[in-house]
């Protein structure tokens, strides 16, 4: 590797460390496990080449076809809310770049991530394989139907805006499991978490306003 190349890399590394420090100070990154996943994964490998220098700015970035990779703070918030355990099996709706799935792959046993757009699904698969994430399966399809083949899931994360939480996803969550989703119309949603009770009911919590690209059918 050239001297110049090394310099660029350590630049990204120090920007990453600074971002992680800020996310901890702001209270979005809270637990050692999630912090270690942020240290491990390289967000610059999940964004298009022309945005690489902005990979450690706390902003969403375009990933093509009108879609976005979420801001690091949003990935931190959602990942912390999922309360991941090493044995968890997780379903994600909206693979996008694959970055959220990569963070989760470091924390749990298995991640299934469904992506509506075949081109983005291929790109996510590529990014994940380059990042060495072997416990993630990318599925092309409509994630609002879930992935019945692998149910029940310990945790479910929806990373596109949905007017309400699809019944199929509630059904595919195991009792005691957690589902999180941006719920609301296209331009403003409320980040919502559900915990499934053993009687099949749900405890719902509203966390904050957020903006995600809409779920498509
Ligand atoms: N989690 C992603 C960001 C998701 S952006 C990341 O880490 O980069 C939202 C994604 O949801 C887009 O890629 C969009 O194509 C996808 N999407 C929209 N509707 C969907 C559906 N019904 N099923 C699965 N994916 C969907």
């Amino acid at each position: 590797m050239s001297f110049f190349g090394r310099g660029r890399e350590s630049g990204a590394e120090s920007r990453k460390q600074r971002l992680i420090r800020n996310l901890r100070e702001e209270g979005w990154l809270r637990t050692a496990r999630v912090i270690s996943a942020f240290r491990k994964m390289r967000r610059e490998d999940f964004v298009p080449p022309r945005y690489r220098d902005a990979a450690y700015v706390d902003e969403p970035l375009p990933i093509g076809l009108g879609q976005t990779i979420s801001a690091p703070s949003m990935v931190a918030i959602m990942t912390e809310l999922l309360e991941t355990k090493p044995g968890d099996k997780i379903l994600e709706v909206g693979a996008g770049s694959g970055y959220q799935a990569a963070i989760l792959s470091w924390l749990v046993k298995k991640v299934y991530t469904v992506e509506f757009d075949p081109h983005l699904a291929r790109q996510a698969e590529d990014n994940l394989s380059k990042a060495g994430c072997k416990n993630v399966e990318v599925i092309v399809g409509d994630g609002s139907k879930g992935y019945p083949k692998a149910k029940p899931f310990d945790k479910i994360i929806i990373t596109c805006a949905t007017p309400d939480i699809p019944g199929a996803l509630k059904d595919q969550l195991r009792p005691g499991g957690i589902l999180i989703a941006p719920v609301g119309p296209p331009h403003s949603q409320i980040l919502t978490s559900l915990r499934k009770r053993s009687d099949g009911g749900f405890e719902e919590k509203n966390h904050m306003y957020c903006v995600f690209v809409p779920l498509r059918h």
Side-chain angles (χ1 to χ4, degrees):
M1 188 189 291
S2 71
F3 176 73
F4 188 65
R6 264 208 311 277
R8 253 183 91 82
E9 199 156 281
S10 69
E13 192 50 41
S14 67
R15 283 197 288 272
K16 184 206 254 184
Q17 296 310 332
R18 195 173 332 124
L19 173 71
I20 291 173
R21 204 164 53 237
N22 289 343
L23 294 176
R24 292 177 73 170
E25 280 169 14
E26 287 156 3
W28 306 132
L29 277 178
R30 289 184 279 111
T31 58
R33 271 163 49 73
V34 180
I35 293 164
S36 76
F38 269 70
R39 289 213 173 101
K40 175 81 187 161
M41 290 305 154
R42 293 158 47 95
R43 191 170 182 259
E44 66 268 41
D45 292 346
F46 291 83
V47 305
R50 67 180 178 288
Y51 293 116
R52 252 170 218 163
D53 285 347
Y56 294 109
V57 177
D58 190 18
E59 295 285 348
L61 292 169
I63 54 170
L65 301 159
Q67 307 303 311
T68 52
I69 177 174
S70 304
S73 52
M74 189 47 68
V75 176
I77 291 164
M78 293 177 100
T79 306
E80 293 283 7
L81 283 174
L82 281 178
E83 298 176 17
T84 61
K85 307 273 181 305
D88 279 353
K89 181 169 65 174
I90 298 198
L91 176 69
E92 180 187 31
V93 177
S97 68
Y99 178 70
Q100 173 73 70
I103 292 285
L104 291 171
S105 82
W106 184 246
L107 297 169
V108 305
K109 187 155 180 222
K110 179 84 191 184
V111 181
Y112 295 90
T113 181
V114 186
E115 173 53 53
F116 190 77
D117 185 292
H119 172 80
L120 288 175
R122 225 173 7 254
Q123 192 170 284
E125 213 160 42
D126 242 39
N127 292 342
L128 285 158
S129 104
K130 280 185 198 140
C133 304
K134 296 196 171 70
N135 57 343
V136 184
E137 202 172 308
V138 180
I139 298 122
V140 180
D142 177 1
S144 64
K145 299 189 170 73
Y147 189 55
K149 253 202 224 163
K151 71 175 184 186
F153 299 97
D154 300 296
K155 313 282 159 65
I156 298 180
I157 170 171
I158 307 179
T159 63
C160 36
T162 179
D164 44 32
I165 296 173
L169 295 178
K170 288 181 172 175
D171 290 346
Q172 290 173 34
L173 187 66
R174 77 156 171 78
I178 298 173
L179 181 155
I180 87 163
V183 179
H187 297 293
S188 167
Q189 303 94 43
I190 295 176
L191 188 63
T192 305
S193 66
L194 298 182
R195 194 184 288 265
K196 195 172 194 169
R197 293 194 304 256
S198 49
D199 66 4
F202 291 90
E203 274 152 34
E204 181 174 327
K205 268 196 204 161
N206 293 337
H207 298 277
M208 55 172 54
Y209 285 100
C210 56
V211 183
F212 280 76
V213 295
L215 184 129
R216 298 181 276 173
H217 290 285

